[in-house]
Amino acid sequence: MSNEITYCAEIGSNHSGSLDLALAHIRAAKEAGATAVKFQLFRAESLDSRPEVQEKLRPYELPVRWLPRLSNEAHTLNLQFGVTPFAINLVEPLKGLVDFVKISAYDLTFDDLVSEAAKLYVPVVLSTAMATWEEITWAVQSAWTANREIDLVLLHGVAQYPSRLKEQNLTTIKKITDLFVRRSGLSDHTLGHEAAMLAVALGATWIEKHFR
């Protein structure tokens, strides 16, 4: 992965269970200037134990059988294709299809998931929102232990949707780079573009923005 700035459109689960809508999101991301797209791969039963919540989440699950089609569409448009897996058994289906794997802020301390993602031998993007410096260090070490040659990208972020510009503490981006000597960036949950611009000025080489 080069040091050029990656602009990642976080499509997430905005496909709402429609493959056509998922593909349309990829094409729209390309038109909007994104250089990468990312989806979320989860199963309702592993996210919440309550049947009523699982029922609400299930329509937003991404079928594994879609992955080759989505990957091909992204690559046809010269976009990087990435996925956030939310369970260990969802990492293996990504093999050979993704250009990067994202670990969500909620799973940064899930050592086994971080290690499994590192074994795909593609760049791993770690979201550090809500984490302490000790937890970030531990996650980095887990990835290194699994793959000594791993290309890591550490994203600063604020786990609030939406979050305000004055809450961003963007100087953390430089601190991440200085401490871990890895690519850093911003998982931008603000509504505007100012945070992303400031992050790039501070050395960010990866900007992720929710997109629909």
Side-chain angles (χ1 to χ4, degrees):
M1 186 179 288
S2 72
N3 285 324
E4 294 182 358
I5 299 172
T6 298
Y7 297 101
C8 180
E10 161 65 300
I11 297 170
S13 297
N14 290 328
H15 52 77
S16 300
S18 166
L19 175 59
D20 287 340
L21 186 56
L23 294 169
H25 271 87
I26 295 174
R27 292 190 288 269
K30 175 66 175 182
E31 292 177 6
T35 59
V37 292
K38 188 181 75 65
F39 288 84
Q40 295 178 359
L41 183 61
F42 63 83
R43 294 297 172 259
E45 60 271 15
S46 66
L47 291 186
D48 200 289
S49 60
R50 294 167 293 179
E52 65 274 17
V53 176
Q54 292 178 9
E55 197 63 28
K56 292 179 180 179
L57 290 172
R58 201 158 282 119
Y60 300 96
E61 293 179 344
L62 179 73
V64 169
R65 67 179 182 277
W66 289 8
L67 290 172
R69 182 77 181 277
L70 298 177
S71 177
N72 182 69
E73 183 73 13
H75 291 152
T76 297
L77 294 173
N78 198 31
L79 294 169
Q80 295 181 58
F81 178 69
V83 172
T84 298
F86 284 84
I88 293 173
N89 67 322
L90 296 177
V91 175
E92 179 65 24
L94 305 180
K95 190 172 184 179
L97 296 174
V98 295
D99 302 296
F100 64 93
V101 177
K102 166 80 178 294
I103 300 297
S104 76
Y106 304 99
D107 284 330
L108 186 72
T109 58
F110 189 175
D111 297 339
D112 290 342
L113 181 61
V114 173
S115 297
E116 197 67 19
K119 293 174 187 175
L120 288 179
Y121 288 89
V122 296
V124 173
V125 181
L126 300 175
S127 182
T128 66
M130 304 186 298
T132 65
W133 290 110
E134 290 78 12
E135 288 169 339
I136 297 171
T137 300
W138 189 266
V140 169
Q141 290 176 342
S142 295
W144 282 346
T145 299
N147 174 8
R148 294 300 301 177
E149 303 301 320
I150 192 167
D151 184 0
L152 284 178
V153 182
L154 275 63
L155 299 187
H156 171 61
V158 175
Q160 184 177 349
Y161 304 84
S163 58
R164 295 177 294 180
L165 179 61
K166 66 180 182 180
E167 299 168 334
Q168 297 309 298
N169 193 23
L170 294 174
T171 55
T172 302
I173 293 171
K174 187 176 186 304
K175 187 173 181 180
I176 287 174
T177 305
D178 292 343
L179 284 176
F180 299 103
V181 198
R182 286 294 182 273
R183 293 187 66 193
S184 60
L186 176 67
S187 182
D188 185 6
H189 301 152
T190 65
L191 295 178
H193 57 268
E194 292 88 353
M197 294 173 63
L198 291 169
V200 170
L202 288 167
T205 58
W206 187 291
I207 301 294
E208 180 181 284
K209 192 86 170 172
H210 285 259
F211 176 87
R212 67 174 181 173

